[in-house]
Amino acid sequence: MSRRAALRRAAVREWGPPAAAVRTALAERGARALALTLTATALTALVQLVQNQSWGYGPVRALGAVRAEDPFWSALLRTPLSLFVPALDLPVWGALAQILLVFGVAEICLGRWRTLAVAYAATLAGTLYARIGVALGPEAFLGLPASDARVVDTGPSAAVVALAVYVCHQRRARFTGALVVVAMVVEVLVKDNLAGREHLAAIAVVLAVCGVREWLGRRPPRPGPGDGRPHPGPDGGGQLRVSARAAAVPGPGRRR
């Protein structure tokens, strides 16, 4: 087998299932399959337009800007909208492309509400980490300098990274998921800033959720007392008994 053919097979094995799911959903439901994604993209573009106006910058900051120095409940209330507030120092087309691609695949593969839950959980994880890191101080492990408390924390990047990892786990695209994690680690090593560390916090939360789901999925189901399954005898020696309900059911050649 040639190297090109091997790479093609690996790509199909890695990205084939999510690509097939996206094609099927778009063919069957069209734009309705991306209702959340299109709404999020339009909302982000609208917020970007508003915050670049002289009359809109203040309201957007008051409703969607999150800083570690803000009161906790105030920051918590601003967190949902902060996901759709693009960072002013980055091109908005990057945020829109991230939402359109990653949110779109996640919405189809995970479902609308799970996508939204993972996105908000990741954003909240980054926000909480910033507060904890600043409280720990730069001398502590995973601590942050006090100046990071004044950094405005907005944008969809943490949610995008978390969704990418979650979809890769759900669709068993392990190489792509590992590549995303490694890229975020390299980002922090090359340019250690608050945004990069929040990406790692979001990944940590998603990996924890994936680990719990895997553990729950591997647990054998507990048989109920009336489900007709054999149960071990009281002496633990391998003797089996059948529930009374199952034994009472007449067989094909029995008459009651």
Side-chain angles (χ1 to χ4, degrees):
M1 181 185 298
S2 65
R3 182 176 300 178
R4 181 176 299 179
L7 289 175
R8 185 181 297 112
R9 289 189 60 182
V12 170
R13 185 170 57 252
E14 185 81 3
W15 300 316
V22 170
R23 285 196 302 268
T24 302
L26 292 178
E28 293 179 352
R29 293 183 288 160
R32 291 178 300 165
L34 300 174
L36 172 64
T37 301
L38 296 177
T39 301
T41 304
L43 180 58
T44 303
L46 177 62
V47 171
Q48 171 69 6
L49 179 64
V50 170
Q51 75 173 349
N52 278 285
Q53 308 301 318
S54 59
W55 50 267
Y57 178 82
V60 169
R61 290 300 163 191
L63 296 174
V66 177
R67 291 176 292 266
E69 67 179 4
D70 294 337
F72 175 75
W73 292 109
S74 175
L76 194 63
L77 290 174
R78 294 174 183 172
T79 298
L81 184 59
S82 71
L83 198 158
F84 306 105
V85 179
L88 289 174
D89 58 340
L90 296 175
V92 66
W93 61 263
L96 297 178
Q98 289 176 5
I99 294 174
L100 194 59
L101 177 62
V102 179
F103 269 65
V105 175
E107 183 177 359
I108 290 174
C109 293
L110 305 178
R112 190 168 302 157
W113 294 111
R114 187 181 299 181
T115 298
L116 199 59
V118 172
Y120 276 133
T123 304
L124 184 59
T127 300
L128 294 178
Y129 164 72
R131 304 179 74 89
I132 295 172
V134 170
L136 292 174
E139 296 82 9
F141 179 66
L142 299 179
L144 295 170
S147 58
D148 281 348
R150 296 183 294 274
V151 175
V152 176
D153 177 23
T154 60
S157 58
V160 166
V161 170
L163 283 172
V165 173
Y166 196 96
V167 170
C168 288
H169 172 267
Q170 197 248 12
R171 294 290 170 163
R172 295 296 186 262
R174 294 184 174 88
F175 178 78
T176 305
L179 193 63
V180 173
V181 175
V182 170
M184 295 302 102
V185 172
V186 171
E187 177 192 19
V188 172
L189 295 177
V190 173
K191 186 179 180 181
D192 189 4
N193 56 17
L194 178 60
R197 293 197 176 203
E198 287 186 347
H199 295 166
L200 295 183
I203 289 175
V205 169
V206 167
L207 290 179
V209 172
C210 293
V212 171
R213 287 176 57 85
E214 285 289 330
W215 178 71
L216 292 176
R218 292 174 182 174
R219 293 178 62 188
R222 280 188 171 184
D227 59 359
R229 298 179 184 177
H231 302 274
D235 58 353
Q239 183 181 1
L240 301 179
R241 62 182 177 85
V242 181
S243 64
R245 181 181 177 183
V249 177
R254 294 172 57 184
R255 304 180 64 181
R256 301 184 65 179

